[in-house]
Amino acid sequence: MVAVITERELGDAAAHAWHAAPTEFPNRCVHELFEQQAARTPDAVAVIHAGQATTYRELNARANQLAHALKRRSIGPESLVGVCLGRSADLLVALLAVWKAGAAYVPLDPSYPAERLAFMVRDAGLRLLLTERRCRPLFAADTVDALCLDADWAGIAREKAGNLPAKATPANLAYVMYTSGSTGQPKGAMIVHGGLVNYLCWAIGAYGLEAGASAIVHSSIAFDLTVTSLYPPLLVGGHVELLPEGDGTRHLVAALRQGKGRSLLKITPAHLDLLAHQLGPAEMAQIAHTVVIGGEQLFAERLRPWRRHAPHARLINEYGPTETVVGCCTYELQPDDPDSGPVPIGRPIANTRLYVLDAAFHPLPPGVTGELYIGGIGVARGYLNQPELTRERFIPDLFSGLPEARLYRTGDLARYRDDGVLEYIGRCDDQIKLLGFRIEPGEIEANLMAHPDIAACAVAVRESGAGSGEYGLVAYFVPRPPAEPAAETLHDFLAQRLPEHMLPGRFVRLDRLPLTPNGKLDRNALPSPPLAAPDDDARHAPRDDVERTLASIWSDLLGIDPIGIDDDFFDLGGHSLLALKAVSRLRDAFGVDLRIEMLFDHPTIAKLATLLTAGSKAAGPPPIPRRPSDGPLPLSFAQEHLWFMEQLAPGNPAYNIVDMIRLRGAYDGRALLAALHDVVDRHEILRTVFAKQDGHAVQVVLPRIDIALDERDLSTLEPAERDAEWRRIVDQAGHHVFTLARPPLLRWTVVHMGDLEHRLLLVMHHILADEWGLERLQQEVRQLYAAHAAGRQPALDALPIQYGDFACWQRERLQGDFLRDQLAYWKIALAGAPTRLALPTDHPHPAVQRFRGTTERFIVPAELV
């Protein structure tokens, strides 16, 4: 491939591409930087796994011993060593040891099929494998020699524990990571130390990692997303927490619920939805200082709960192919960014160049879409043992002026904004990003074609169920007559060759594949999967209303009908995200507090129905009934706490909640007022006041309250003045004093920021709602406003219960044996606890909390820590 670039175009490239300013980083390899840190903080914890802590001293010494053992086997620079280990301290020992010996590692995921692992061993020419006893059977004994770190450690421990002389240089290979390949086999991207160090050192600064930083490692080392979590904390004296394998989603949720605010969390967009469903607002608020999202295109809709409940967390969209060391550009979300649509991928990281070029390799101006090319120190050496593909994807960088510089051709479509921010548009080819994984349909198709009963096939992404919003892989196949292979047969065939994330959830039989006029496959013409499951006759139909309701929910989510009571939810194409949606639907249908773990443990309709109908305690408390009559109601315990605090300090605005709803487009005041009346009429709690009756606090639901809608017009002000006035209005609103016995306990103000931008400011007392309730309130106000503005009759489902019903149920439930059990637990748990917390203070606490405080930021010296 030859490109002719004129001098003028070189100038255009400089004008139309944004380069990160050159930045100097240590001319060292990663393990050398780790050794320097180990010398500075030898007794600090480096790794936590299964409750066991490993210090820097221990980790470095064990890695040195293994590195000496590798040297005895003639492992040195440019040698490739396979690493197939579960997540434990031994994993980091192996990775560091490979580098200390001067070699590069090839990550091999133990969950991959044996056939795929065997190909990677052959393709990489591996002579040695670092593994453990449980993983050794995955590899034929005659194909690769192995060191089992658990079985062979006694011999390794006799090696020296001191650091080895430096062997590798920044130009040497650091790792070879295999990604999906369009030819039917995975391809290995060769990453060198210099590019890896550039990314890691940049990430430490950009993501604000300081001494003591921490991160969770919840994904495979064969997935380059893991690099961001695994190494940066270890270069600044922090620690990494390695979560168990298996259902990584469950372990991730459990770890985040522990309430330890981490410095860094790297996740995919799919994780955002899952965690938003599983974590409460308080848990989301302390999830991490910096949340980096990568792996696939990010849409702002997925960030809404995080921007609301974790306002202090930095949310960063990171883009980058495996071929350019994890990430090459980032975009940090700003408070005034839109809450819908695709999130930009931002600007290049240090020592990186990004170009948007046309088909003739000419640079394109801002606003014009072209293919994205990446240059700089992070570009991989190429693909292992694939010189032709390397020449095709890694081309000379004629814009840089450096003779050896190359550009990686991403296959991604992008365009620059006028401000230099890059926007991702889509793919030039058929490559897929699904659940954070890069997938080449051609690789799945090539493996499916290896089945003797398949004459032709195609793989595409389709929505899992009508309106589900979740997508999965669908395999279309034409059988070779007279064969009629079953879907289960084809699934099992592929499962022996491909990792789980590449297995189609549906198989659709066709008489022929649709073709374009020039005879090529027309992927757009592939039909939507029919709502029918294969082998219907072998399925046992639902037997009662519970099983029929479960089958209906599964059909909607999975796009399969009928579903038998013995069908496994996950075998039918379900995954963690769809499981969350299923649990939410089951809660609504059966009124039980079902947890996602129960669906993993009871994955068939028959098993789940048994759990639900048996009234198991695991399924949660019985549904909340409607209260029998109107009249004064008791307070819930949460309300009683807030009411009590109000009696101590009447008129205190500390428990005010301030919220804002954006309204875009032409303003319709009549429609907005109608929407607010509708939402207040719909929710009793919004027209509730709190009074004393017979010495007790009660809540009284009023039949109707007047709604006053204040309006402020800031559209004529200059931007700086407008922003300052907006902040003043918000601050003033937040200090409004509510009297709990007098309505209303909420106030509305609409602020006009421009002709097409309006902000609805809501202030209410916390006794009416919490953050989760506000999220629903926002959605309903938007829906009702849109309906009234369009002249439509609003259509919202009737509410099955009101908050007063919950308060009555809660009071009735907490009595008798249940109350005694609860009290007994806390008496045991708090036995021996001090009655007063004796902490040194600089002045005595006042009798009544005054809520006077501020935020002070400082750095604690390492010696003091």
Side-chain angles (χ1 to χ4, degrees), residues 112-439:
Y112 282 0
E115 185 171 318
R116 187 179 185 87
L117 292 172
F119 168 82
M120 295 163 71
V121 169
R122 291 194 308 271
D123 187 65
L126 299 181
R127 295 189 294 109
L128 182 63
L129 174 70
L130 300 181
T131 186
E132 53 196 342
R133 278 176 291 192
R134 70 180 180 92
C135 297
R136 184 63 181 98
L138 295 172
F139 305 87
D142 59 348
T143 59
V144 61
D145 192 13
L147 268 177
C148 291
L149 300 196
D150 47 359
D152 301 329
W153 190 259
I156 299 170
R158 290 193 288 268
E159 299 286 353
K160 297 177 182 178
N163 290 335
L164 288 76
K167 293 290 184 182
T169 70
N172 284 126
L173 280 182
Y175 60 78
V176 175
M177 192 166 292
Y178 280 82
T179 67
S180 182
S182 59
T183 60
Q185 297 289 0
K187 55 184 184 289
M190 299 185 287
I191 303 299
V192 300
H193 276 283
L196 180 59
V197 167
N198 180 77
Y199 171 79
L200 296 178
C201 291
W202 167 85
I204 288 169
Y207 296 154
L209 301 183
E210 299 174 347
S214 63
I216 291 177
V217 177
H218 59 93
S219 51
S220 166
I221 59 165
F223 186 14
D224 66 343
L225 173 144
T226 308
V227 169
T228 311
S229 306
L230 191 60
Y231 297 119
L234 298 178
L235 303 186
V236 295
H239 73 268
V240 293
E241 181 180 354
L242 306 180
L243 300 188
E245 294 93 352
D247 179 19
T249 297
R250 189 190 311 187
H251 296 308
L252 177 60
V253 171
L256 294 176
R257 279 179 172 162
Q258 292 175 1
K260 304 174 185 175
R262 274 81 177 180
S263 307
L264 176 68
L265 178 66
K266 178 76 175 281
I267 53 178
T268 68
H271 284 115
L272 289 171
D273 296 337
L274 186 148
L275 296 177
H277 279 87
Q278 290 289 290
L279 301 177
E283 294 166 329
M284 294 172 70
Q286 57 186 4
I287 185 172
H289 175 266
T290 302
V291 180
V292 181
I293 305 113
E296 61 187 276
Q297 188 172 18
L298 176 63
F299 289 88
E301 288 84 349
R302 284 180 145 164
L303 293 170
R304 285 174 183 168
W306 299 94
R307 296 172 77 176
R308 171 186 296 276
H309 300 306
H312 302 298
R314 298 174 63 199
L315 301 174
I316 299 176
N317 187 25
E318 183 182 272
Y319 164 89
T322 303
E323 292 84 350
T324 58
V325 192
V326 187
C328 64
C329 64
T330 61
Y331 181 83
E332 183 168 354
L333 268 291
Q334 302 300 315
D336 57 350
D337 279 342
D339 64 354
S340 62
V343 176
I345 57 176
R347 291 185 168 88
I349 71 167
N351 303 310
T352 301
R353 301 182 297 275
L354 301 178
Y355 302 94
V356 177
L357 308 178
D358 64 14
F361 307 104
H362 299 148
L364 295 170
V368 179
T369 298
E371 187 172 356
L372 179 62
Y373 291 74
I374 302 169
I377 192 172
V379 176
R381 186 184 291 178
Y383 296 118
L384 182 65
N385 298 328
Q386 298 203 43
E388 292 186 9
L389 184 60
T390 296
R391 283 192 293 271
E392 177 186 339
R393 306 304 296 185
F394 296 85
I395 68 173
D397 181 359
L398 303 182
F399 302 109
S400 67
L402 303 174
E404 301 300 322
R406 292 167 308 134
L407 297 176
Y408 171 64
R409 185 175 191 170
T410 66
D412 289 332
L413 297 174
R415 66 179 173 224
Y416 273 111
R417 300 192 320 203
D418 288 336
D419 60 358
V421 170
L422 198 63
E423 296 177 321
Y424 175 86
I425 306 301
R427 287 291 301 173
C428 304
D429 53 24
D430 301 320
Q431 189 186 97
I432 296 165
K433 279 293 190 77
L434 194 63
L435 299 178
F437 292 98
R438 189 167 88 183
I439 299 171

Side-chain angles (χ1 to χ4, degrees), residues 281 456 515 698 794 846:
L515 302 177
V698 295

Side-chain angles (χ1 to χ4, degrees), residues 356-677:
V356 177
L357 308 178
D358 64 14
F361 307 104
H362 299 148
L364 295 170
V368 179
T369 298
E371 187 172 356
L372 179 62
Y373 291 74
I374 302 169
I377 192 172
V379 176
R381 186 184 291 178
Y383 296 118
L384 182 65
N385 298 328
Q386 298 203 43
E388 292 186 9
L389 184 60
T390 296
R391 283 192 293 271
E392 177 186 339
R393 306 304 296 185
F394 296 85
I395 68 173
D397 181 359
L398 303 182
F399 302 109
S400 67
L402 303 174
E404 301 300 322
R406 292 167 308 134
L407 297 176
Y408 171 64
R409 185 175 191 170
T410 66
D412 289 332
L413 297 174
R415 66 179 173 224
Y416 273 111
R417 300 192 320 203
D418 288 336
D419 60 358
V421 170
L422 198 63
E423 296 177 321
Y424 175 86
I425 306 301
R427 287 291 301 173
C428 304
D429 53 24
D430 301 320
Q431 189 186 97
I432 296 165
K433 279 293 190 77
L434 194 63
L435 299 178
F437 292 98
R438 189 167 88 183
I439 299 171
E440 294 280 2
E443 182 175 355
I444 306 173
E445 292 164 358
N447 279 277
L448 189 53
M449 284 300 296
H451 194 285
D453 294 339
I454 300 298
C457 67
V459 173
V461 171
R462 292 291 184 268
E463 195 169 14
S464 299
S468 70
E470 299 296 335
Y471 293 83
L473 293 170
V474 177
Y476 299 86
F477 68 94
V478 178
R480 191 182 303 278
E484 288 292 338
E488 287 83 355
T489 301
L490 299 177
H491 181 278
D492 293 344
F493 179 80
L494 290 178
Q496 298 173 22
R497 293 160 170 78
L498 299 173
E500 185 178 1
H501 65 266
M502 294 181 69
L503 296 179
R506 301 287 303 279
F507 290 82
V508 178
R509 183 198 183 282
L510 299 176
D511 292 329
R512 64 180 64 86
L513 295 179
L515 302 177
T516 62
N518 60 6
K520 294 185 178 181
L521 173 67
D522 188 353
R523 293 187 185 274
N524 293 329
L526 290 168
S528 297
L531 255 174
D535 301 331
D536 292 340
D537 294 339
R539 284 176 156 75
H540 298 293
R543 298 162 293 189
D544 54 35
D545 288 343
V546 172
E547 291 183 348
R548 279 188 284 272
T549 301
L550 289 171
S552 175
I553 292 171
W554 287 22
S555 290
D556 288 346
L557 293 175
L558 298 170
I560 298 175
D561 186 40
I563 291 179
I565 61 173
D566 297 317
D567 291 332
D568 188 292
F569 180 84
F570 300 98
D571 288 346
L572 294 175
H575 49 73
S576 297
L577 294 178
L578 281 179
L580 282 171
K581 293 197 172 188
V583 167
S584 179
R585 295 277 296 273
L586 292 172
R587 286 174 181 155
D588 294 340
F590 295 100
V592 296
D593 186 19
L594 196 72
R595 299 190 299 273
I596 189 171
E597 291 88 345
M598 296 167 195
L599 184 54
F600 283 99
D601 295 336
H602 303 79
T604 68
I605 288 174
K607 292 178 180 178
L608 197 55
T610 300
L611 177 71
L612 293 171
T613 54
S616 167
K617 286 184 179 180
I624 298 172
R626 292 301 300 263
R627 61 184 186 273
S629 60
D630 295 329
L633 305 170
L635 275 62
S636 71
F637 297 114
Q639 288 177 322
E640 189 173 52
H641 164 75
L642 293 166
W643 182 85
F644 180 72
M645 297 301 292
E646 177 70 12
Q647 309 315 301
L648 290 178
N652 190 335
Y655 290 103
N656 285 0
I657 294 179
V658 182
D659 197 26
M660 186 266 288
I661 303 173
R662 293 181 185 272
L663 305 175
R664 301 188 185 279
Y667 176 66
D668 188 331
R670 175 200 57 79
L672 181 57
L673 195 58
L676 299 183
H677 275 294

Side-chain angles (χ1 to χ4, degrees), residues 7-32:
E7 184 175 347
R8 177 177 179 179
E9 287 166 343
L10 288 171
D12 289 343
H16 297 153
W18 275 259
H19 305 169
T23 305
E24 291 292 332
F25 289 124
N27 190 32
R28 294 284 187 273
C29 297
V30 182
H31 60 283
E32 294 176 281

Side-chain angles (χ1 to χ4, degrees), residues 52-65:
Q52 299 295 314
T54 303
T55 66
Y56 278 81
R57 189 197 312 275
E58 295 165 337
L59 181 60
N60 192 49
R62 293 179 65 197
N64 286 336
Q65 290 172 320

Side-chain angles (χ1 to χ4, degrees), residues 768-781:
L768 297 188
D770 59 13
E771 288 290 334
W772 284 115
L774 281 177
E775 188 167 323
R776 178 163 189 165
L777 185 63
Q778 275 211 18
Q779 294 171 351
E780 292 189 1
V781 169

